[in-house]
Amino acid sequence: MIDRFSWIAIYPEIVLLVMACVIALVDLLDKSQRRMPAYILSVLTLLGVAALTGMYASGGQTIYGFNGLVVSDPMANWLKCFAALAVLVGFVYGRTYVLERGMLRGAEWYVLNLLSLLGGFVLISANNFLLIYMGLECLTLASYALVALRRDHTVSVEAAMKYFVLGAMASGFLLYGMSMLYGATGTLDIGGVFKAVASGQIKHQVLVFGVVFVVAGLAFKFGAVPFHMWVPDVYQGAPTAVTLMIGSAPELAAFAMAIRLLVEGLLPLAFDWQQMLALLAIGSLLIGNLAAIAQTNLKRMLAYSTISHMGFVLLALMAGVIGGNALAAANAYSSAMFYVIVYVLTTLVSFGIILLLSREGFESEEIADFAGLNQRSPLYAGIMAMCLFSLAGVPPLVGFQAKLSVLQALISTGQAFYIGLAVYAVIMSLIGAFYYLRVIKVMYFDDPVSVAPIRAPLDMRAVLTVNGALLLILGLVPGALMALCAKAIVQMLVT
């Protein structure tokens, strides 16, 4: 099903592109300060896209479009659905924040986020090296502009410059690696690369050279050590609403890019890229958790926390190619997908609370700013506590289930090295629990720094409450989401 269904495969991308242009045009006629037409149109667009991709995913059909350039399979469509919902939640959480900080001079906030999501969608459905690079550039270029959107804030502009320079270097790594693979295999098609590599007729050293650069580019997108330098600086320097955006939906796109390149394209070279992922995962868990302990800025602490969580995702990707067991592979990759989705859900909560406590002229991003939060609002303190416990992997919250699924995937390989990695990951998680518990201690046992009431728009309060409740509900009954991930990965592997 290639030519006949070409346009169906990219309907979500078409909707996003058209609506981004419509919102930009409508904004020319809107002279109000709050930009409500752009907000409403963006929310409706994302709801429509989420419904469309969810419908595609539920159908279970795999469609190849434009002579195999794009693929619309259940894994891609579920990731698109969750990415659209993440951006939608980010719009709800960040609306007041961007208005108070002068970031709504026009509709750039909405248009750039939709274009970034468009890049993520292209990346998720890419079945060709060229399309992967186009999607990545669309996503990252819009992200650079978002970080610098608060033009009168020196720290944000500095963070954008760092992000741009390091991002350009990482894009160069990825592009060079893909060009090496193209030179060796003679094709840009991911399926064609798989067949060429599996034939065994290509010089191994040339392929490995390309794989090294591809993995380096992926590691930057994940924020894995030693390509993590941008994460703490950008997380801290970017406006908090932007930090939420670049820490949520793009992680889903990065996971899809890793699956497309490493599993669908370079699986015959798994022995080589496994070793690289092992080093990245070990370093990310160690540096991420140890560096987070020393942080006093909550956004920077969460940045190092992100690095450690990406270590878990890399561990799951490693465990998927041991022993040639298709069922074990599907279990490992589905645990990685489940982990990424859970991480995004939890990230939305954490930065949502930070945005809630921020007010005009004051960024509530230091750990000390959360002192006595329970005395000001037991509800929001409870939501933040659940978020932190989930990140630490404490049952019965969903973060525990995510970590457990990855550890089970490692242990089920039966190999001593992978069992050792599972033990190492548990030890690192115990170390990481310290800095999460420290924030909870500050919220519940320190004297409040302010007695001002916490006010939030009705839509933000409602979404934040539902978002926090999901951490507990999915922790108690994770079966549906885990089965969804497993089914999507199985359907992706058999096509």
Side-chain angles (χ1 to χ4, degrees):
M1 293 180 295
I2 295 180
D3 294 327
R4 181 184 173 192
F5 293 96
S6 288
W7 292 101
I8 294 178
I10 61 167
Y11 277 167
E13 287 83 352
I14 293 173
V15 172
L16 274 180
L17 179 59
V18 170
M19 289 308 299
C21 296
V22 168
I23 291 168
L25 291 174
V26 168
D27 183 65
L28 295 175
L29 306 175
D30 182 19
K31 303 302 181 183
S32 67
Q33 186 180 11
R34 302 186 68 86
R35 307 291 174 183
M36 285 303 294
Y39 173 70
I40 294 171
L41 284 173
S42 299
V43 168
L44 292 176
T45 299
L46 293 170
L47 284 173
V49 167
L52 179 61
T53 52
M55 181 183 68
Y56 277 10
S58 300
Q61 194 176 23
T62 298
I63 301 170
Y64 289 89
F66 297 93
N67 292 318
L69 279 177
V70 297
V71 55
S72 174
D73 57 14
M75 183 196 77
N77 286 311
W78 280 125
L79 290 174
K80 289 178 183 179
C81 179
F82 292 131
L85 291 175
V87 175
L88 170 61
V89 171
F91 281 158
V92 174
Y93 289 168
R95 182 162 61 97
T96 302
Y97 181 93
V98 297
L99 176 62
E100 291 177 345
R101 281 149 186 83
M103 296 167 62
L104 279 181
R105 295 184 179 92
E108 296 95 339
W109 164 248
Y110 300 107
V111 173
L112 286 172
N113 274 299
L114 291 179
L115 291 177
S116 176
L117 182 62
L118 172 64
F121 275 24
V122 172
L123 197 54
I124 289 170
S125 282
N127 196 40
N128 183 283
F129 284 165
L130 184 60
L131 216 59
I132 284 178
Y133 190 72
M134 288 176 60
L136 180 64
E137 288 303 292
C138 181
L139 188 156
T140 53
L141 288 173
S143 299
Y144 302 151
L146 282 169
V147 175
L149 194 57
R150 194 176 174 188
R151 288 165 285 187
D152 57 348
H153 194 237
T154 307
V155 177
S156 297
V157 176
E158 179 187 350
M161 291 178 65
K162 292 177 181 177
Y163 193 17
F164 174 76
V165 172
L166 293 173
M169 181 177 68
S171 295
F173 282 164
L174 183 65
L175 187 61
Y176 186 65
M178 291 192 298
S179 68
M180 290 294 296
L181 293 174
Y182 169 67
T185 61
T187 179
L188 293 171
D189 182 72
I190 290 177
V193 170
F194 178 89
K195 293 176 183 177
V197 175
S199 68
Q201 299 177 358
I202 302 173
K203 195 172 182 180
H204 185 73
Q205 289 84 349
V206 178
L207 292 173
V208 172
F209 192 68
V211 169
V212 169
F213 283 94
V214 167
V215 171
L218 287 172
F220 177 88
K221 200 64 205 144
F222 275 116
V225 172
F227 303 95
H228 66 290
M229 301 82 69
W230 66 275
V231 181
D233 286 343
V234 173
Y235 269 51
Q236 182 181 2
T240 305
V242 176
T243 305
L244 182 150
M245 292 297 190
I246 63 177
S248 53
E251 300 295 349
L252 299 171
F255 166 77
M257 180 168 63
I259 290 289
R260 300 294 185 205
L261 288 172
L262 299 181
V263 178
E264 293 191 329
L266 301 171
L267 192 61
L269 297 172
F271 179 77
D272 299 294
W273 56 255
Q274 266 184 323
Q275 299 174 62
M276 302 175 203
L277 294 189
L279 292 174
L280 294 172
I282 291 170
S284 298
L285 287 167
L286 180 66
I287 301 299
N289 284 308
L290 292 182
I293 293 174
Q295 307 306 316
T296 58
N297 182 281
L298 185 57
K299 286 167 64 177
R300 198 172 183 87
M301 188 200 84
L302 291 172
Y304 282 108
S305 166
T306 296
I307 295 168
S308 69
H309 286 291
M310 291 305 105
F312 266 92
V313 176
L314 296 175
L315 288 177
L317 291 174
M318 286 172 53
V321 285
I322 300 298
N325 188 321
L327 182 61
N331 179 56
Y333 298 139
S334 64
S335 68
M337 181 176 172
F338 179 69
Y339 198 102
V340 172
I341 292 170
V342 168
Y343 165 77
V344 170
L345 178 68
T346 315
T347 295
L348 292 171
V349 177
S350 60
F351 284 102
I353 294 291
I354 296 174
L355 287 167
L356 177 71
L357 298 182
S358 299
R359 52 191 183 273
E360 190 171 3
F362 179 73
E363 301 287 339
S364 183
E365 59 184 48
E366 297 293 327
I367 294 176
D369 296 331
F370 283 70
L373 178 60
N374 182 56
Q375 299 177 40
R376 298 176 62 195
S377 174
L379 172 63
Y380 296 132
I383 292 174
M384 188 64 175
M386 283 199 301
C387 170
L388 294 169
F389 278 129
S390 181
L391 289 170
V394 175
L397 297 164
V398 68
F400 169 76
Q401 297 290 348
K403 282 184 166 60
L404 182 63
S405 66
V406 173
L407 296 175
Q408 286 176 333
L410 288 169
I411 294 171
S412 65
T413 63
Q415 296 194 12
F417 176 68
Y418 287 84
I419 295 173
L421 283 177
V423 174
Y424 172 77
V426 170
I427 294 172
M428 290 297 105
S429 294
L430 291 174
I431 293 174
F434 168 78
Y435 54 84
Y436 296 123
L437 294 175
R438 180 180 61 181
V439 180
I440 294 173
K441 174 262 178 187
V442 168
M443 291 194 302
Y444 280 87
F445 298 104
D446 287 11
D447 294 327
V449 294
S450 171
V451 293
I454 300 175
R455 296 187 178 90
L458 178 61
D459 56 350
M460 183 178 184
R461 291 201 305 270
V463 174
L464 191 57
T465 303
V466 172
N467 199 172
L470 283 174
L471 299 180
L472 180 60
I473 294 170
L474 290 176
L476 294 172
V477 283
L481 182 56
M482 295 180 79
L484 180 152
C485 295
K487 185 177 179 181
I489 291 296
V490 168
Q491 290 173 326
M492 180 271 299
L493 290 174
V494 298
T495 54

